[in-house]
Structures are given as C-alpha cells and as structure tokens.
Amino acid sequence: MNRGYINRIKDKAFGLVGLIATLFGLLILTFLIGQVFYEGYNRIDLDFIKSLPSRKPEKAGIYTALAGTVWILFLTTIFSLPLGISTGIYLEEYTKKSRFTDLLEINVSNLAGVPSIIYGLLGLEVFGRMLNLGNSLLAGALTLSLLVLPIIIVTTREAIRAVPNSLRMASYGLGASKWQTIWEQILPASMGGILTGVILAISRAVGETAPLLVVGALAYVPFAPSSPLDEFTVLPIQIFNWISRPQHGFSVNAAAAILLLLTITFIMNGVAVYLRNRWQKKHNW
Amino acid sequence: MKSTDYKIKSENVDVYYGDKKALTDINLNIRPNTVTALIGPSGCGKSTFLRVLNRMNDYIDSFSMTGKISIDGEDIYQSKIRVEDLRANVGMVFQKPNPFPKSIFDNVAYGLKIQGMKDKEFIKKRVESALKQAALWSEVKDDLKNPALSLSGGQQQRLCIARALAVNPKVLLMDEPTSALDPISTAKIEELIFNLKEKYTIVIVTHNMQQASRISDYTAFFYMGKLIEFDKTAEIFTHPREEKTQNYITGRFG
Amino acid sequence: MTQKNKEVCIELVLKLSGTITVLTTFGIIWVLFSESFSFFKEVSIVEFLTDNQWTPLFANKRFGIMPLISGTLLTTAIALTVALPLGLSIAIYLSEYAPKRLRLIVKPLLEMLASIPTVVYGFFALMIVTPFLKTILPNISGFNALSAGIVMGIMIIPFISSMSEDALRSVPKSIREASYGIGATRLQTSFRVMVPAASSGIIVSVILAFSRAIGETMIVAIAAGQQPRLTLNPLVPIETITAYIVQVSLGDVPHGSLEYKTIFAAGMTLFVFTFILNNIAFWVRKKFREEYE
C-alpha cells in the first residue's frame, strides 16, 4: 500500500466522521424533542391553555404564564427595538474612528458576552429597588431589553454595513443630508437584516429564565397581569417550577409547556431565517 | 474673458489623505457650458480633483485640503455653505451605475423629494423632462413603476444621469461614467454629454483617450498629483507642450 | 425647525441611545462592586478565596467561593469535552467536505439548536439524560455534573461549529486551491492549511463557548444540584456560581442581609471570569481581522 492510498482512506474516513458529527447533533435534537413530544403532547388542550396555576397537576394550566410571556414580548420589543436600531445606526453612520468608538465597540461586544444572570442582578438592583419597580413586568422587560440590546445593535450594524457605499454616495451626491440618506436609502435597504436581528433578539428574550428569576418573577401568580406594574410569570419560569416538583404529573405539564415554548421560538426563528434569505436574494448587489 | 466668467475656479489646491499628498497646487479654471475632460494614469489625482468640486471627499476621515475652490464666484469650502445645497447644484454621476433599489420614477424624483418638494404634478413633469434630457424617456415611459435595477447597465447609467439632472444642477461631474458599459451604451452616453453642455457645465474623468478627444472642449492632464497641462482638447491632442502629456496620449505609459 | 437643526437633534438622540450601552456596563460594574464591597466588609477576601466551604444559608456560615468555582469549572470542562470535538468536526466538515446544499440545510438547523431556551435543555438533562446515564452508571446521583455538562455541551456545539465555520470560510480561497494544487487531500488541506489559517477565529469561538458555558444558568440549576462541594467527581451533586444565585433568588432573602450580598459577590466572581475571556476573544478577533485586511 502506498502513501497516496492511505491518505485517500484517511480523507474519506474524516469525511464520514464529519458527517456523523453533524448528524449526531441533529439526531440528538430530534430525539430529545421527540421525547418531550411523547411526554407532553396529550396534555395540551384548550383547558391547559386557559387554566390558571393549581396545586393539582391535572388542573394546572399556563394561562398566566402565557399572558406574561406575551406582555414581556410586547414590552421588550417596545424598549429594545428603537434603542438598539438607533445605537446601531449611530455606531455605523455617525462615529468616526476614534478611541471613543473603539471603546463603544469593545463595550457592546463585552455586553453581548455578559451572562444573562448578571443582567438579572443589574435589574434587581436598578429597576427593582432603585426605580422601585419591584418584581413587576416593567422591571422584567427593562432587564431583558438591556440583555438583548447587543444582539440588535450587532445585527443592525451588519445589515447597514452590507448596504453598498455607492448607494450612500449616490444619495449624498444629489444633495441629501445624512439623515435623509439614512432614512430614505440605508434603512429601507437594510430593513430585512435588521428585522432578522430584532426577531432573534425577541425570541431570545421569550426563552430567558434566569434574569427574570433573579429580578423576582414569581412562579405562582394566580391572575394574568393587566398592567406593566403587575407581578408576573412567564412560560420558562412556569416550566422551571414544574420541573422542580416531584410529582410526575407536573413533569408532564412541563413537557407540554415546553412544546408550546419551542413552537413559539421555532416560529420566530423560522421567520427570521426566511426574512434573512429573502433579503439576501433581493439585494444581490 | 474676465476671471468672474469662469464657472469653476480652483486656486492653489493641495489635497492630503493623512500624510499622503494627493494633489499639489492645482490651478484650473473651467468655463461655463463646456465639457472638460480630466485625464491621466490611475492614481494621478483626477478623481480626487473631481470629488473636491462637490465635496464628496468630506466623507473620507483622513481628507484635508488647502487652497480655494469657487463655483460662480463663491468659495464652496466656507463654513456658511450648506454642503447639501452645493451638491444639488453640482450633480454627480459615478463610475458604476448606482440606482437606488426603488422604482425608476422614485429614483429620478428622489432629489426633489429630499428638497421637500410636495407638488406631485411638478415632480411628474420634472421626472419626465429629466428622463427626456437623459434620452431614456422613450425606453421607460410605460414602465416608470418598474424597479430601476431591472434596467440594463447602460439604461441604469442614463437613469443616474436623469436623477442628477432632475434637481436642476448647474454643473455635472462624471467619474468615468462609461467605464462599466458596452460600446453601444457608451456611444449613447457620449452623444448625451454632447447635447447636455448647452445647459450644463460638465467635468468628466475618463481613462479613454478617444473619448476625451471626441466629447470634450478642454482637457486637463494630471500626473502624480499635479496638473501638467490644460488647454483646448484639440491643442492637447495635436500639439502637447509637455513631454509627459505627449507620452501619455501616445500610449507610452498609463 | 430647519433641516440643519433637525439633523443635529437626530444625531443627539442617536448618541443618547448609544450611551445607554455604556451606562449598562457602568451599571453592571457599579451594582456588582458596591454590593460586593459591603459584602467584603463583613467577610474577608482571604476567607472568600481560600475557605473550602460555601454555606451562607446554613447556621454555620462559611464563605469560601472555591466549591462554587470548582462546580462551575467541572460542568464547563465536561461541556467543552463534548462540544469541542463535535463542533470542530462539524465546522471542518461543513466548510471543506459537505456539498453546498447540505450545508444550506444543516446550518439553520444547527442554529435552531442554539435558539432552544436553556430551561428546555435543563429538562432534557434532568428528565432524559440523567435517567439514561443511570442505566450505565448505577451509582450516579439524581443531580450531577455529568448530565448537566453533557447537555450544556450539546447546547454550545452550534456556537463552536458556526463561528469556526465562518472563520474557515473567510480564509481566502486561493490558499485552499494552492494546497489542492500540489496534490494534497481534503484532510491534509483542512488540518495543515485551513485550520492553521483560521486558527484565531477558531480560538475565538472556543473562548466564547467557554465563557458561555461558565455563565450558563438554567441547565445547572435544574440538573446539577444545590450542594456546593470541592470535588472533581462528576457523579455527585454540586453547585455552580449561577445555580447558587438562582437558589438565593428563589428564597425569601431580605435586602441588605449578608445572604443577599453573597449573590453579588458570587456574580462579581462570575463577571470577572467572563470579562477576561470575552476580552481575550475580542483581542484575538481584532488581530485576526488585521491579518486579512
């Protein structure tokens, strides 16, 4: 056997290893979701969705958690979307390269790497205690907004950077001001990418548990919140709570709630991926 | 001719990018309703000079300039000048066609829209006349709602010219406008430039010597950041005074 | 309002939102430092760093952070043991071997792995993986570092694979072709040319995955237990820094008490770890960008 032959065998072998590794991740995912599906599917019905929490697993439902999740989704979007997009625009279009922008850049990259539970500690002190919002929806949503801000900023910047400079020059060349150029040309051209980032960020917020636990979101909230200052729970916290209980009935509930939570996140991610692809195809500069 | 009769005057213009000197002591006066070609090898500073005329270099962080550029007798680098107004007066067409990803109509109407023009009838008329001036009207008049990016390369470039004309500039700067186009589209645009000088003062950067000799009244030869020679085009191409010009136009370097 | 004034106002508004990110950072540092500071007024730093017991919630209070750090590093090490070989193999396979169509399908699916909420992974670890491990290792506890670590590893596979693949694909094509041109196989090209050329990007992905695993909360809070102990045994319950913070948050600890302050001291320890890792990653990435520009 010559070396060339051995090398070819090795080459083929690694190709197989790579394929197996790739499939392994996906198969594990399928298996785990399959298990959850098997466990929780039968539990999902209208009663489960409409019922308030209860000490008896078969009577307990996710109504308050679902309402809390919707509230959180709504409020977090309101806070983080304008802030994140504005910051992205500022960093990409207004700042000249300087020490200050270097600092801002390191800062955003660092914030993206701060563990979510640390944001919880920040929210607990600043929103919960100093602004006296306690464990309200508002405190939770503000905390999550800061958490997802870096995601929106980074994707906004990437999307803006993808807009060819010739478009900018064409607009300036016609006498458009900076903001007119941004508003009329750059934002429409990068909207697909920005929206993708926003959806991914919000989907992250919907799945977060730890920071809300620290801020003090409660596992047992008997009524759906009716204002941003009310106490609340969300799906992930409800799931966490059910997992921690010994009775088998609650882990079935947890599985059912997980199925709903996964459906929400997968739909949001699916939309984001779809938007990204469509946007990439449409703007093939 | 009195000095105030010049449309564009450039006096002792030096340009730096950081520490690098890009233009040295440029003195160049351009008469109204003429076509002036800027020629020279790559990196000679001709595009830099073109972009100095409507302050497009302002977007380069390391850019700095000394000397004076005036258009219609007014220093365009003084602080009371709004750069947006300047650019509406001094339109620009770029090397590669760069239509906005919008409809044909919206492309041409864009300049009016950002000036705050609301009168729809007026805009419509202006768009039509700009497209006619750019010799594009007959080809697109039924498809004004179509995306500009669906046009061919040559049509896109004429659209960009129409877009620049719609805001009624006095000067039109063109940065190698045909370098990305095929010969037929190029011929159309050259014809267009010839007709446009009735109303506009045109400054065009070109790599193509034949093009310069075909369409321009005056030609300026740049070499290594300096203006070597500036004269009537016929003079430059038949009796160049400088050896460098002679060498360049006969294709010995460049 | 004139156009000029409008422009200035808009820039100001944008700049203000930019400063929010800076304020967030200051907020985090200030909150962690001020609460930790008052914690260290009551507990000596030496005890905090050297004591081998962490029992702030018991009658006999001891404040040694080591058991929490060891728990954190143990689960992280297990996670990286799972995620590194898999993630890198996937990255190399997708960028050097896989047909384009497969890559286009697989990549978003892997990204889906990363989008699953961590509480769901916690459920996987506790309800599915631990019972499965029990069939192989009968003396494993119901809460243990192994199961949490493995699931965490699965969770961070896409971080490593996706970022490493991007790094590999950003290597200029000509380099790969040069290697093929002298008769190298794909495997030789991958490991002798591509991986070294993309090494800084790959290192960044590993560091960020490391940092992510250290800060991961829900999986360990659900499946690894709440018993801080200084051990390398993956089969017994342990507690991580993050899980401790959750544990205290769930209880009813009054503000201002020493127990309340412990979560900030623990949080600060966690923050210092991830801050160092993130900055190394940022620095490596910056160097990497300069190489190719």
Side-chain angles (χ1 to χ4, degrees):
Chain A
M1 275 204 292
N2 61 23
R3 273 186 61 158
Y5 184 71
I6 295 173
N7 278 339
R8 271 208 299 283
I9 296 279
K10 277 192 194 160
D11 189 44
K12 284 242 158 62
F14 186 80
L16 199 65
V17 169
L19 182 63
I20 291 171
T22 308
L23 294 180
F24 177 77
L26 298 179
L27 283 178
I28 289 275
L29 175 68
T30 321
F31 171 74
L32 292 175
I33 293 178
Q35 283 282 319
V36 175
F37 192 81
Y38 173 76
E39 185 114 329
Y41 178 68
N42 287 324
R43 184 67 183 81
I44 297 180
D45 53 24
L46 212 56
D47 271 348
F48 183 63
I49 290 172
K50 274 174 27 188
S51 295
L52 298 169
S54 160
R55 269 173 232 290
K56 295 185 186 124
E58 61 281 358
K59 277 197 173 168
I62 55 163
Y63 182 70
T64 54
L66 206 57
T69 290
V70 172
W71 267 103
I72 283 284
L73 192 148
F74 174 70
L75 291 174
T76 308
T77 312
I78 289 184
F79 298 138
S80 63
L81 185 134
L83 269 180
I85 296 181
S86 315
T87 306
I89 294 173
Y90 181 71
L91 286 177
E92 208 51 43
E93 294 288 328
Y94 281 85
T95 51
K96 291 190 174 175
K97 195 99 190 100
S98 71
R99 280 246 179 96
F100 179 67
T101 53
D102 276 353
L103 191 80
L104 274 182
E105 206 149 315
I106 300 178
N107 185 41
V108 172
S109 134
N110 256 316
L111 282 178
V114 171
S116 60
I117 195 160
I118 302 276
Y119 282 94
L121 293 174
L122 175 73
L124 173 67
E125 279 283 286
V126 174
F127 302 130
R129 288 197 345 95
M130 289 172 57
L131 299 184
N132 222 353
L133 297 172
N135 50 6
S136 65
L137 268 170
L138 200 54
L142 285 169
T143 306
L144 290 180
S145 300
L146 294 183
L147 170 72
V148 299
L149 212 49
I151 306 178
I152 301 182
I153 294 172
V154 169
T155 41
T156 299
R157 295 187 65 183
E158 278 169 5
I160 289 180
R161 218 174 299 152
V163 176
N165 207 32
S166 63
L167 218 63
R168 229 169 252 126
M169 289 302 132
S171 178
Y172 288 143
L174 288 165
S177 68
K178 193 155 205 152
W179 180 248
Q180 283 173 329
T181 301
I182 293 169
W183 186 251
E184 296 281 341
Q185 300 299 342
I186 295 175
L187 280 183
S190 53
M191 208 24 98
I194 295 176
L195 275 183
T196 306
V198 170
I199 297 174
L200 288 178
I202 302 305
S203 126
R204 165 93 190 266
V206 164
E208 275 295 342
T209 322
L212 295 180
L213 279 176
V214 178
V215 172
L218 298 174
Y220 180 79
V221 178
F223 300 105
S226 59
S227 99
L229 292 173
D230 287 348
E231 293 179 339
F232 70 106
T233 190
V234 288
L235 270 180
I237 290 183
Q238 185 65 67
I239 292 167
F240 174 64
N241 178 264
W242 278 337
I243 294 174
S244 333
R245 302 214 193 172
Q247 299 98 310
H248 178 70
F250 281 117
S251 72
V252 173
N253 284 359
I258 283 175
L259 284 180
L260 288 173
L261 181 62
L262 281 181
T263 311
I264 296 173
T265 34
F266 285 168
I267 287 177
M268 291 179 87
N269 278 274
V271 171
V273 170
Y274 170 77
L275 272 177
R276 185 171 59 196
N277 288 346
R278 217 182 67 146
W279 175 66
Q280 275 169 355
K281 261 185 213 138
K282 203 170 124 197
H283 292 287
N284 233 333
W285 279 294
Chain B
M1 205 169 189
K2 280 187 306 188
S3 73
T4 47
D5 288 342
Y6 290 116
K7 192 79 186 169
I8 303 170
K9 282 187 66 170
S10 135
E11 295 164 69
N12 313 324
V13 170
D14 284 359
V15 167
Y16 293 87
Y17 292 122
D19 298 333
K20 225 185 117 239
K21 199 164 191 185
L23 286 178
T24 308
D25 198 25
I26 305 294
N27 290 284
L28 181 70
N29 299 330
I30 292 170
R31 293 186 165 81
N33 299 93
T34 57
V35 176
T36 302
L38 310 181
I39 62 169
S42 302
C44 67
K46 55 191 191 300
S47 284
T48 299
F49 182 71
L50 189 78
R51 282 158 183 265
V52 160
L53 299 180
N54 70 342
R55 295 184 53 177
M56 283 308 260
N57 283 325
D58 289 15
Y59 296 104
I60 298 167
D61 288 348
S62 58
F63 168 80
S64 63
M65 189 191 106
T66 60
K68 190 174 157 193
I69 303 264
S70 37
I71 292 179
D72 288 331
E74 203 169 14
D75 180 354
I76 62 167
Y77 279 84
Q78 57 182 323
S79 55
K80 70 167 192 187
I81 291 276
R82 272 194 70 221
V83 69
E84 287 83 17
D85 296 338
L86 167 72
R87 299 213 181 101
N89 251 327
V90 184
M92 186 153 197
V93 177
F94 298 81
Q95 196 167 351
K96 265 182 151 169
N98 54 357
F100 301 126
K102 299 183 169 197
S103 74
I104 293 171
F105 184 90
D106 287 345
N107 261 276
V108 184
Y110 180 70
L112 296 168
K113 204 175 146 198
I114 57 174
Q115 287 181 0
M117 177 60 62
K118 298 253 156 61
D119 183 346
K120 281 194 179 147
E121 276 310 305
F122 180 82
I123 294 178
K124 247 175 146 172
K125 265 192 219 142
R126 207 37 116 48
V127 168
E128 181 176 339
S129 82
L131 284 168
K132 275 180 178 157
Q133 285 185 74
L136 193 60
W137 177 251
S138 60
E139 290 160 62
V140 299
K141 63 173 190 276
D142 300 322
D143 313 310
L144 293 176
K145 289 259 148 39
N146 282 9
L149 290 164
S150 66
L151 296 173
S152 75
Q155 289 174 321
Q156 286 187 13
Q157 193 64 306
R158 276 179 284 147
L159 179 71
C160 292
I161 295 176
R163 188 175 64 186
L165 296 181
V167 289
N168 246 341
K170 297 183 202 124
V171 177
L172 198 55
L173 308 177
M174 301 180 131
D175 191 358
E176 300 187 38
T178 60
S179 65
L181 303 180
D182 62 89
I184 296 174
S185 308
T186 301
K188 274 191 186 157
I189 288 191
E190 285 184 7
E191 193 189 328
L192 182 58
I193 291 171
F194 191 80
N195 295 331
L196 286 175
K197 76 174 172 190
E198 260 180 51
K199 278 187 74 180
Y200 308 93
T201 305
I202 296 174
V203 185
I204 177 170
V205 165
T206 178
H207 252 116
N208 180 331
M209 233 77 60
Q210 283 80 25
Q211 182 167 66
S213 67
R214 278 197 301 263
I215 60 173
S216 69
D217 307 301
Y218 290 86
T219 295
F221 172 61
F222 283 73
Y223 184 65
M224 292 181 71
K226 291 190 176 121
L227 176 62
I228 304 294
E229 196 169 347
F230 174 56
D231 209 334
K232 291 210 163 96
T233 300
E235 283 298 305
I236 291 263
F237 280 91
T238 50
H239 308 293
R241 277 172 285 132
E242 300 284 333
E243 196 187 335
K244 281 184 188 129
T245 318
Q246 165 88 21
N247 286 344
Y248 182 70
I249 58 178
T250 53
R252 241 168 272 172
F253 69 87
Chain C
M1 193 158 46
T2 67
Q3 185 67 29
K4 182 107 189 164
N5 287 341
K6 198 174 142 197
E7 293 282 325
V8 173
C9 284
I10 286 169
E11 178 162 356
L12 199 70
V13 168
L14 296 177
K15 194 169 188 168
L16 274 179
S17 37
T19 30
I20 296 229
T21 63
V22 180
L23 288 180
T24 307
T25 307
F26 278 126
I28 288 173
I29 293 173
W30 177 73
V31 163
L32 293 180
F33 268 80
S34 64
E35 290 287 343
S36 300
F37 187 72
S38 73
F39 170 79
F40 285 121
K41 273 201 249 175
E42 296 176 55
V43 177
S44 85
I45 290 203
V46 179
E47 184 192 347
F48 185 69
L49 292 178
T50 57
D51 198 313
N52 61 5
Q53 297 269 334
W54 179 261
T55 55
L57 306 177
F58 295 158
N60 175 24
K61 295 186 193 324
R62 303 270 294 271
F63 298 97
I65 193 75
M66 277 307 157
L68 293 185
I69 293 183
S70 80
T72 303
L73 291 181
L74 180 61
T75 48
T76 301
I78 296 169
L80 287 179
T81 312
V82 172
L84 272 188
L86 281 169
L88 290 180
S89 303
I90 292 173
I92 294 171
Y93 176 73
L94 287 183
S95 99
E96 305 298 313
Y97 283 79
K100 191 173 173 219
R101 282 179 61 187
L102 183 70
R103 186 163 53 80
L104 289 182
I105 299 170
V106 166
K107 242 196 141 177
L109 284 176
L110 281 172
E111 278 165 15
M112 219 159 84
L113 261 179
S115 75
I116 295 178
T118 52
V119 69
V120 177
Y121 279 108
F123 180 88
F124 292 160
L126 185 68
M127 303 290 184
I128 302 171
V129 176
T130 298
F132 171 74
L133 289 174
K134 220 164 200 148
T135 61
I136 311 169
L137 304 159
N139 57 352
I140 196 169
S141 310
F143 297 108
N144 60 79
L146 185 60
S147 165
I150 291 174
V151 171
M152 205 149 90
I154 294 172
M155 183 193 82
I156 58 179
I157 285 174
F159 285 86
I160 297 181
S161 70
S162 168
M163 264 190 281
S164 298
E165 200 225 331
D166 290 342
L168 285 166
R169 292 171 62 77
S170 70
V171 174
K173 231 181 174 175
S174 55
I175 294 185
R176 182 188 294 124
E177 281 161 0
S179 171
Y180 286 147
I182 52 173
T185 63
R186 282 178 299 188
L187 184 68
Q188 289 166 327
T189 305
S190 304
F191 280 95
R192 296 196 186 171
V193 180
M194 300 303 287
V195 170
S199 59
S200 26
I202 294 174
I203 291 170
V204 167
S205 81
V206 174
I207 298 172
L208 290 181
F210 187 17
S211 158
R212 171 91 195 192
I214 285 183
E216 168 47 38
T217 306
M218 293 321 289
I219 299 176
V220 284
I222 290 171
Q226 299 185 336
Q227 299 178 23
R229 71 174 95 197
L230 203 53
T231 178
L232 289 177
N233 183 354
L235 305 181
V236 296
I238 47 104
E239 184 162 44
T240 65
I241 299 176
T242 52
Y244 173 73
I245 299 175
V246 167
Q247 185 191 357
V248 173
S249 302
L250 288 174
D252 219 357
V253 176
H255 165 76
S257 65
L258 190 56
E259 289 89 336
Y260 179 84
K261 288 170 194 161
T262 56
I263 59 174
F264 290 91
M268 165 117 136
T269 313
L270 176 66
F271 180 74
V272 167
F273 269 101
T274 55
F275 183 81
I276 292 171
L277 287 170
N278 292 335
N279 277 283
I280 295 175
F282 184 83
W283 181 77
V284 174
R285 179 152 45 185
K286 210 163 173 171
K287 277 260 170 261
F288 171 69
R289 276 200 193 136
E290 281 160 12
E291 269 169 47
Y292 281 103
E293 267 168 13

